[in-house]
């Protein structure tokens, strides 16, 4: 018998739960379907939010052939075979078939290159699905030919609707007398993942030797503790585990960080996914308190990209322990956040004339670069001058956090700028 999640897969937009911004009354994908024509697009979002289902619904509603490839198991030859099949089955004035590529972020550059011509000529309409930021994982020429739509984790209202629909409409579950007394645990463990919610529900129901079942938080927790991996039937990444992993590094607990690393390794996680999170943690949480952390994290990423599993666990573990035991600072993270907030608030402030480049005589006559002081011509390679726009001369974005390493940077800023940085002193 098919798993519950597969039995409950919707076949029309009206059955689809969540992503109202895309498929709701004025949603862009709904409008495309109603118009009868769609462009290539990439769906970016966490696991279990309906990326594959939405692609299938689009093909069903438009009544076009639907080809699917998995980036994990398909190569360039498979891509070319599908494109050739699409060419041979196309007729004048017919709509392009849809080529759906799951986990498109795992396609190599050559695999992605092999798609370009077919997408550009309209031989196929590409729909890609990814849990990773396409800006980093999809080549620019392919990304420029596709719209990017972001899918969100399911909220409590969505999860409640899905849970109720499964209990009342599934051919197997509606034979039983299932009531939901408490939903806190099942929602918490699902983490906004619809597939995970259905897997947990199925696990709980299967564990009860009765046709009358009352779902409580205790029942759900007990079932998952006894079967810790059972609800992850598709091997999907648990965003609660990656969250625990990052927070353990941030909290300076190397034992916990190694434990969550081991959980991801045992779950078959992509090593590059883990390595990317380690690099982010090094920059966000360790930062200027130990700049070597980012170097080591990048080295681990490079090593794991070259050697893969199982040996890749060793450089990852080395980086994790180093980051967890390092002093912490998020001053750079907070600084860029503050600067971005100012840019969004104050808009495009003009660059002061003395900071502008003057490659032509006209620009020089207009005062470009006039009055600029070249710091290397001065003692200590520093001289005070204005670098911020005129309206932001007193703005501050970076605030030192006085870790031993960062303290040296702070003291240099005090020496250079004096009162401008004294507000940071405790």
């Amino acid at each position: 018998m098919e798993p519950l999640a597969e039995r409950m897969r919707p076949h029309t937009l009206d059955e689809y739960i969540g992503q109202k911004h895309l498929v709701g009354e004025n949603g862009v994908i709904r409008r495309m379907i109603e118009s009868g024509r769609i462009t290539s697009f990439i769906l970016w979002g966490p696991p279990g939010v309906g990326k594959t289902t939405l692609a299938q619904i689009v093909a069903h509603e438009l009544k076009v052939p639907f080809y699917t490839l998995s980036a994990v198991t398909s190569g360039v030859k498979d891509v070319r075979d599908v494109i050739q099949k699409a060419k041979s089955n196309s007729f004048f004035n017919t709509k392009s078939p849809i080529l759906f590529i799951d986990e498109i972020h795992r396609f190599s550059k050559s695999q992605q290159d092999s798609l370009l011509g077919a997408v550009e000529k309209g031989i196929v309409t590409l729909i890609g699905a990814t849990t990773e930021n396409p800006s980093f994982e999809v080549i620019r020429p392919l990304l420029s030919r596709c719209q990017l739509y972001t899918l969100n984790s399911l909220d409590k209202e969505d999860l409640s609707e899905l849970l109720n629909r499964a209990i009342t409409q599934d051919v197997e579950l509606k034979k039983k007398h299932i009531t939901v007394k408490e939903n806190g645990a099942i929602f918490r463990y699902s983490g906004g993942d619809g597939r995970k919610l259905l897997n947990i529900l199925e696990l709980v129901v299967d564990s009860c030797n009765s046709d009358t079942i009352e779902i409580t938080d205790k029942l759900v927790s007990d079932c998952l503790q006894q079967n810790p991996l059972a609800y992850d039937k598709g091997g999907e990444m648990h965003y609660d585990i990656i969250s625990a992993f990052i927070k353990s590094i941030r909290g300076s607990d190397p034992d916990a960080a190694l434990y969550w690393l081991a959980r991801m390794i045992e779950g078959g996680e992509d090593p590059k996914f883990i390595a990317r999170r380690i690099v982010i943690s090094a920059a966000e949480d360790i930062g200027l308190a130990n700049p070597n952390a980012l170097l080591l994290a990048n080295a681990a990423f490079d090593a794991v990209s070259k050697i893969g599993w199982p040996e890749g666990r060793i450089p990852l573990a080395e980086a994790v322990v180093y980051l967890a035991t390092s002093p912490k600072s998020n001053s750079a993270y907070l600084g860029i956040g503050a600067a971005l907030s100012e840019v969004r608030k104050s808009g495009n402030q003009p660059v002061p004339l003395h900071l502008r480049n003057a490659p032509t005589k006209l620009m020089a006559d207009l005062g470009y670069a006039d009055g600029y002081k070249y710091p290397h011509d001065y003692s200590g390679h520093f001289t005070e001058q204005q670098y911020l726009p005129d309206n932001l001369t007193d703005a501050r974005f970076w605030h030192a956090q006085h870790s031993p390493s960062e303290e040296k940077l702070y003291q240099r800023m005090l020496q250079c700028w004096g009162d401008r940085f004294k507000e940071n002193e405790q």
Side-chain angles (χ1 to χ4, degrees):
M1 183 186 299
E2 287 183 320
L4 174 62
E6 193 59 37
R7 300 199 303 269
M8 289 301 300
R9 188 182 292 275
H11 301 288
T12 67
L13 280 185
D14 291 334
E15 295 175 355
Y16 189 86
I17 295 175
Q19 317 311 326
K20 298 292 192 297
H21 61 295
L22 297 177
V23 301
E25 185 177 348
N26 294 310
V28 61
I29 292 180
R30 181 179 285 273
R31 292 202 307 270
M32 281 198 296
I33 291 174
E34 290 173 348
S35 73
R37 298 190 64 84
I38 66 164
T39 57
S40 294
F41 58 84
I42 294 175
L43 300 171
W44 172 30
V49 296
K51 298 185 291 294
T52 302
T53 298
L54 186 53
Q56 292 174 342
I57 289 174
V58 169
H60 176 76
E61 296 277 0
L62 294 179
K63 297 180 173 55
V64 297
F66 183 78
Y67 302 108
T68 181
L69 293 173
S70 169
V72 178
T73 58
S74 304
V76 173
K77 182 180 183 300
D78 299 295
V79 175
R80 288 175 178 159
D81 287 347
V82 167
I83 291 172
Q84 187 56 46
K85 190 181 296 183
K87 281 182 180 177
S88 61
N89 290 338
S90 64
F91 301 96
F92 186 67
N93 274 343
T94 59
K95 296 173 183 174
S96 301
I98 288 174
L99 171 57
F100 175 69
I101 300 180
D102 195 17
E103 299 189 87
I104 194 170
H105 61 277
R106 295 198 183 191
F107 253 15
S108 66
K109 182 181 182 299
S110 61
Q111 289 170 308
Q112 294 184 40
D113 281 336
S114 66
L115 290 166
L116 284 175
V119 173
E120 194 166 46
K121 294 173 185 176
I123 296 170
V124 296
T125 299
L126 174 67
I127 300 180
T130 177
T131 56
E132 296 295 307
N133 190 331
S135 301
F136 301 121
E137 303 300 330
V138 178
I139 59 173
R140 188 171 297 276
L142 186 57
L143 198 58
S144 69
R145 290 163 173 78
C146 300
Q147 296 296 316
L148 176 62
Y149 300 123
T150 303
L151 280 72
N152 304 316
S153 297
L154 302 186
D155 58 26
K156 287 185 177 180
E157 184 179 330
D158 296 328
L159 293 172
S160 181
E161 182 181 352
L162 180 59
L163 181 61
N164 181 64
R165 185 181 295 180
I167 291 171
T168 58
Q169 296 183 14
D170 177 65
V171 291
E172 294 299 320
L173 296 192
K174 68 181 182 180
K175 296 175 184 177
K176 301 178 181 290
H177 303 285
I178 303 173
T179 57
V180 181
K181 183 178 180 182
E182 297 170 322
N183 58 24
I186 196 168
F187 287 177
R188 186 171 66 252
Y189 283 116
S190 345
D193 182 329
R195 186 190 302 109
K196 191 187 294 187
L197 179 134
L198 293 174
N199 288 340
I200 295 172
L201 174 61
E202 188 172 33
L203 173 66
V204 170
V205 170
D206 289 346
S207 68
C208 297
N209 298 318
S210 172
D211 286 339
T212 300
I213 302 169
E214 184 179 75
I215 294 178
T216 64
D217 291 347
K218 185 178 186 307
L219 175 61
V220 171
S221 297
D222 288 346
C223 287
L224 294 184
Q225 287 169 10
Q226 293 166 13
N227 303 273
L229 297 178
Y231 65 92
D232 193 20
K233 296 180 179 179
E236 299 287 356
M237 177 60 224
H238 288 110
Y239 277 72
D240 46 3
I241 290 183
I242 193 64
S243 175
F245 174 64
I246 294 301
K247 287 172 181 172
S248 298
I249 293 175
R250 184 181 299 146
S252 300
D253 189 334
D255 296 320
L258 285 173
Y259 170 79
W260 295 118
L261 173 63
R263 283 284 297 274
M264 289 187 285
I265 292 172
E266 277 299 296
E269 185 50 67
D270 179 3
K272 289 184 181 179
F273 175 85
I274 303 172
R276 273 190 291 270
R277 268 50 187 187
I278 291 174
V279 171
I280 293 168
S281 177
E284 178 180 345
D285 294 316
I286 288 80
L288 294 172
N290 182 4
N292 285 331
L294 185 55
L295 300 178
L296 186 64
N298 268 308
F301 195 150
D302 183 53
V304 113
S305 299
K306 291 175 179 175
I307 64 179
W309 291 143
E311 291 82 359
R313 73 189 189 282
I314 305 168
L316 287 181
E318 181 181 345
V320 164
V321 171
Y322 187 79
L323 266 60
T325 55
S326 288
K328 307 295 189 291
S329 169
N330 67 343
S331 67
Y333 170 76
L334 294 176
I336 187 60
L340 285 169
S341 177
E342 179 59 49
V343 168
R344 290 162 187 152
K345 181 177 71 174
S346 58
N348 296 323
Q349 295 291 315
V351 177
L353 284 177
H354 66 283
L355 297 182
R356 299 186 191 187
N357 194 23
T360 68
K361 183 177 184 301
L362 174 61
M363 290 178 173
D365 291 342
L366 290 173
Y368 284 31
D370 186 32
Y372 173 66
K373 300 174 184 177
Y374 187 57
H376 295 297
D377 290 341
Y378 295 84
S379 174
H381 303 274
F382 173 82
T383 183
E384 190 168 342
Q385 65 183 323
Q386 177 187 334
Y387 291 102
L388 283 163
D390 293 342
N391 293 337
L392 298 172
T393 53
D394 296 325
R396 288 292 315 284
F397 304 115
W398 178 67
H399 298 274
Q401 294 182 355
H402 306 302
S403 61
S405 175
E406 207 163 344
E407 183 68 26
K408 294 179 182 178
L409 305 179
Y410 170 58
Q411 290 300 328
R412 170 163 165 71
M413 292 299 95
L414 275 181
Q415 182 182 0
C416 291
W417 295 100
D419 289 346
R420 179 176 163 192
F421 275 79
K422 279 186 178 177
E423 64 183 10
N424 272 336
E425 291 186 304
Q426 301 297 321

